[in-house]
């Protein structure tokens, strides 16, 4: 049987075109999993079952001419064969049904061929003890021919599971040789010559047949890998295509909404220009039309700035530049930005003094606060409060207003581009672009901040921007009041 072990080394060496890790080589000795190997193993297993049944039927037929056991013992042996055959079929069934990738991930599934081979070889070893007698007869000849045919049929299993094939060969022929020796059917030299001949036949099958099959299996494995890679690439391309279509659809809606709003505001400006020109021509006072024209142009400038901000964010060209920033300095800039809007005194904007320093992108954070304050001033009936406070592991920047509040079902929709909730009648003249809160959400996402909304209908709303404290920094948030 040493020749069989040599064949194992030769066949495995010829199948390896490149060096493999030791762990992977050990796994391949137990079971090589690929569609091509699976097809080869299933075909070899089917051939083995044909040979098994042929051998059993031949032994039953010969037993009637050369009986060696009682009828009850014979039928018991036949029933045990049927039971072990069914058990082996059930053990191999999952390997036939499941995909190679599923088998590759399960150690239990990869051990099923070895367990099946142990059951089959153990049955045949027991069979030799029952059928081999003290004299050579057709029974021994039938067993020899059957075992040789079974061994040749196992050759197809060698590229798939070398360990199972080797164990099967050793148990089968060692059991046969022991039965010949213990029953004094043949002498020890004759048994040795017989084993050498059998090993030579098996080695020739393994060396010649598997050497040819391995090249085909290697090409099949390469094709399988190429197919899997192609499928993955197709899936990625499909995902990219869907993303591109969604992006194009979003851009289309964006430009459609933006152009519609821009035309509306230009039309309003043209009306006030016409009104001012008519007043000048008739000698009337044109101050009111010109004032409204200035308001419309200011609103148009704000709208264009927001559209450009939103488009720049969507184009992913906004880089984050972190620096130590004083929250109080941002509050002062906010106060200056809205000084003109508050000049008429209808609404108030108050800041609670904050002595915090954060590491952030100052321009992005300022734009977030500007849009939140602008949104609050548009809706509030009285004043707007801006403050900063510590909340667990975050710094919370809050903008409070005294507006009509936000419905619970709309607290996520308000961050969508061009989304506008129904506004009260006295605020329709201040209808916004629908981009302010969308810009807030996208800038916050870019900085890694969370935005929370709390509101009570009829009493107002509070927008909270949560800036996490990064403990990896020496000082990310510092309270100078301490």
């Amino acid at each position: 049987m040493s020749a069989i072990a040599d064949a194992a080394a030769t066949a495995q060496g010829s199948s390896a075109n490149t060096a493999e890790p030791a762990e992977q080589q050990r796994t391949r000795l137990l079971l090589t999993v690929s569609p091509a190997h699976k097809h080869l193993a299933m075909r070899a297993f089917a051939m083995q079952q044909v040979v098994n049944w042929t051998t059993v039927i031949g032994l039953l037929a010969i037993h009637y001419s050369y009986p060696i056991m009682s009828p009850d013992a014979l039928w018991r042996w036949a029933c045990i064969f049927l039971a072990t055959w069914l058990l082996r079929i059930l053990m191999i069934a999952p390997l036939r049904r499941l995909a190679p990738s599923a088998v590759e991930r399960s150690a239990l599934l990869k051990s099923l061929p070895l367990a099946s081979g142990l059951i089959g070889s153990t049955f045949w070893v027991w069979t030799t003890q029952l059928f081999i007698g003290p004299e050579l007869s057709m029974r021994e000849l039938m067993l020899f021919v059957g075992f040789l045919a079974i061994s040749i049929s196992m050759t197809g299993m060698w590229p798939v599971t070398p360990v199972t094939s080797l164990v099967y060969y050793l148990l089968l022929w060692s059991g046969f040789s022991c039965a010949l020796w213990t029953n004094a059917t043949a002498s020890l030299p004759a048994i040795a010559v017989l084993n050498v001949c059998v090993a030579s036949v098996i080695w020739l099958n393994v060396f010649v047949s598997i050497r040819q099959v391995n090249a085909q299996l290697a090409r099949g494995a390469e094709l399988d890998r190429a197919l899997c890679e192609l499928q993955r690439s197709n899936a990625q391309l499909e995902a990219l295509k869907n993303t591109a279509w969604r992006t194009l659809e979003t851009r289309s809606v964006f430009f459609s909404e933006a152009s519609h709003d821009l035309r509306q505001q230009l039309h309003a400006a043209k009306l006030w220009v016409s009104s001012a020109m008519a007043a000048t021509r008739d000698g009337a006072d044109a101050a009111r039309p010109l004032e409204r024209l200035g308001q419309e142009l200011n609103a148009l400038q704000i709208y264009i700035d927001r559209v450009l901000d939103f488009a720049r964010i969507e184009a992913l060209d906004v880089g984050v530049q972190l620096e130590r920033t004083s929250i109080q300095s941002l509050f002062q800039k906010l106060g200056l930005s809205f000084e003109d809007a508050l000049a008429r005194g209808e609404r108030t904007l108050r800041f609670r003094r904050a002595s915090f320093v954060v590491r952030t992108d100052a321009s992005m954070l300022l734009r977030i606060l500007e849009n939140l304050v602008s949104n609050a001033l548009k809706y509030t009936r009285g004043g707007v409060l801006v403050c900063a406070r510590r909340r667990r592991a975050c710094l919370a920047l809050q903008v409070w207003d005294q507006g009509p509040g936000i419905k619970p079902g709309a607290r996520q929709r308000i961050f969508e581009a061009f989304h506008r909730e129904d506004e009260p009648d006295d605020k329709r003249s201040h209808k916004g672009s629908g981009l302010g809160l969308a810009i807030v959400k996208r800038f916050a996402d870019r900085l890694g901040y969370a935005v929370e909304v709390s509101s009570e209908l009829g009493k107002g709303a509070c927008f909270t921007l949560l800036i996490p404290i990064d403990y990896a920094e020496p000082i990310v948030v510092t309270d100078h009041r301490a």
Side-chain angles (χ1 to χ4, degrees):
M1 293 295 109
S2 62
I4 302 177
D6 295 338
T10 304
Q12 285 301 111
S14 64
S15 65
N17 295 326
T18 58
E20 292 179 321
E23 183 64 28
Q24 188 175 0
Q25 288 180 349
R26 287 193 293 270
T27 303
R28 288 181 181 277
L29 286 175
L30 184 61
L31 183 65
T32 301
V33 181
S34 76
H37 286 84
K38 175 182 176 181
H39 176 73
L40 178 64
M42 291 300 111
R43 188 172 61 180
F45 183 75
M47 291 174 59
Q48 188 184 14
Q49 304 319 303
V50 172
V51 175
N52 284 340
W53 276 98
T54 302
T55 304
V56 168
I57 293 172
L59 287 174
L60 288 173
I62 291 174
H63 184 270
Y64 285 103
S65 301
Y66 301 91
I68 197 173
M69 68 181 80
S70 65
D72 291 339
L74 182 65
W75 284 111
R76 187 163 52 249
W77 170 80
C79 291
I80 292 175
F81 164 74
L82 184 60
T84 57
W85 178 76
L86 290 174
L87 179 60
R88 294 183 66 195
I89 293 295
L90 292 175
M91 294 174 70
I92 298 299
L95 302 180
R96 179 190 296 271
R97 179 172 50 86
L98 296 175
S101 57
V103 178
E104 181 69 32
R105 294 191 296 267
S106 173
L108 177 61
L109 291 174
K110 287 191 286 188
S111 64
L112 286 178
L114 179 59
S116 174
L118 287 173
I119 293 173
S121 58
T122 302
F123 169 78
W124 288 118
V125 169
W126 176 59
T127 298
T128 60
Q129 302 299 320
L130 297 177
F131 280 85
I132 292 181
E135 296 180 358
L136 286 174
S137 66
M138 290 298 295
R139 291 190 310 273
E140 287 76 15
L141 180 59
M142 185 64 206
L143 277 174
F144 175 78
V145 173
F147 283 8
L148 189 60
I150 292 172
S151 300
I152 293 174
S153 68
M154 279 295 295
T155 304
M157 288 287 192
W158 191 280
V160 184
T161 171
V163 170
T164 301
S165 301
L166 188 59
V167 169
Y168 204 96
Y169 293 149
L170 292 174
L171 288 177
L172 194 67
W173 290 103
S174 62
F176 185 77
S177 300
C178 288
L180 291 177
W181 171 252
T182 54
N183 288 282
T185 309
S187 63
L188 191 58
I191 295 174
V193 171
L194 180 65
N195 277 293
V196 169
C197 294
V198 169
S200 299
V201 172
I202 295 175
W203 182 83
L204 286 173
N205 270 275
V206 170
F207 183 78
V208 176
S209 301
I210 301 308
R211 190 178 181 88
Q212 297 174 352
V213 170
N214 276 333
Q216 299 176 0
L217 291 175
R219 287 194 294 270
E222 291 177 1
L223 288 175
D224 292 335
R225 287 192 295 269
L227 180 60
C228 291
E229 186 63 29
L230 180 62
Q231 290 174 344
R232 283 194 296 268
S233 299
N234 287 338
Q236 293 174 354
L237 288 174
E238 186 68 21
L240 289 173
K241 185 188 76 172
N242 293 335
T243 302
W245 277 113
R246 286 195 298 269
T247 302
L248 287 174
E249 185 177 0
T250 302
R251 295 287 190 277
S252 176
V253 172
F254 172 79
F255 285 114
S256 175
E257 295 280 356
S259 61
H260 173 73
D261 290 347
L262 188 60
R263 282 195 298 269
Q264 280 190 324
Q265 297 196 31
L266 286 175
H267 180 67
K270 287 173 62 178
L271 289 176
W272 288 114
V273 168
S274 299
S275 178
M277 292 175 62
T280 303
R281 189 169 48 249
D282 297 340
D285 186 8
R288 175 61 178 168
L290 290 175
E291 180 183 357
R292 291 303 305 272
L293 175 61
Q295 293 176 357
E296 291 293 340
L297 291 177
N298 287 334
L300 182 59
Q301 180 183 2
I302 294 173
Y303 180 79
I304 292 175
D305 289 342
R306 288 183 175 175
V307 168
L308 292 176
D309 277 346
F310 187 81
R312 198 157 54 94
I313 299 170
E314 290 293 288
L316 302 177
D317 63 351
V318 180
V320 177
Q321 298 179 352
L322 299 179
E323 57 183 348
R324 292 174 60 82
T325 304
S326 168
I327 296 299
Q328 184 61 30
S329 68
L330 294 180
F331 285 178
Q332 291 172 352
K333 292 179 181 179
L334 280 175
L336 293 174
S337 298
F338 291 96
E339 193 173 33
D340 293 339
L342 300 170
R344 287 182 291 180
E346 297 178 359
R347 292 156 295 177
T348 61
L349 175 61
R350 295 187 301 113
F351 297 89
R352 184 174 295 170
R353 180 170 179 79
S355 301
F356 296 100
V357 175
V358 297
R359 184 171 172 79
T360 185
D361 187 304
S363 62
M364 282 192 187
L365 185 55
L366 181 61
R367 299 306 294 270
I368 291 174
L369 293 175
E370 284 177 347
N371 281 286
L372 289 176
V373 171
S374 175
N375 184 74
L377 288 173
K378 183 176 67 173
Y379 287 100
T380 190
R381 301 186 184 95
V384 173
L385 172 65
V386 183
C387 62
R389 63 183 65 184
R390 292 289 292 268
R391 180 191 289 184
R392 296 185 294 275
C394 296
L395 174 66
L397 301 182
Q398 295 181 318
V399 179
W400 297 78
D401 67 55
Q402 297 174 322
I406 303 171
K407 299 174 183 178
R411 292 176 189 175
Q412 294 300 322
R413 294 197 304 268
I414 57 176
F415 293 104
E416 298 174 2
F418 298 106
H419 177 81
R420 301 182 183 93
E421 286 295 307
D422 292 336
E423 302 175 7
D425 293 338
D426 59 343
K427 302 294 180 185
R428 289 192 183 275
S429 59
H430 304 285
K431 187 174 183 179
S433 63
L435 289 173
L437 293 180
I439 293 173
V440 167
K441 185 67 170 66
R442 281 159 176 77
F443 270 136
D445 289 343
R446 193 64 56 84
L447 291 169
Y449 301 163
V451 182
E452 295 181 351
V453 182
S454 58
S455 178
E456 187 174 350
L457 291 178
K459 294 186 177 181
C462 173
F463 286 82
T464 302
L465 182 70
L466 296 175
I467 302 176
I469 298 175
D470 186 355
Y471 289 103
E473 293 288 335
I475 300 177
V476 177
V477 179
T478 304
D479 190 343
H480 297 294
R481 293 174 295 181

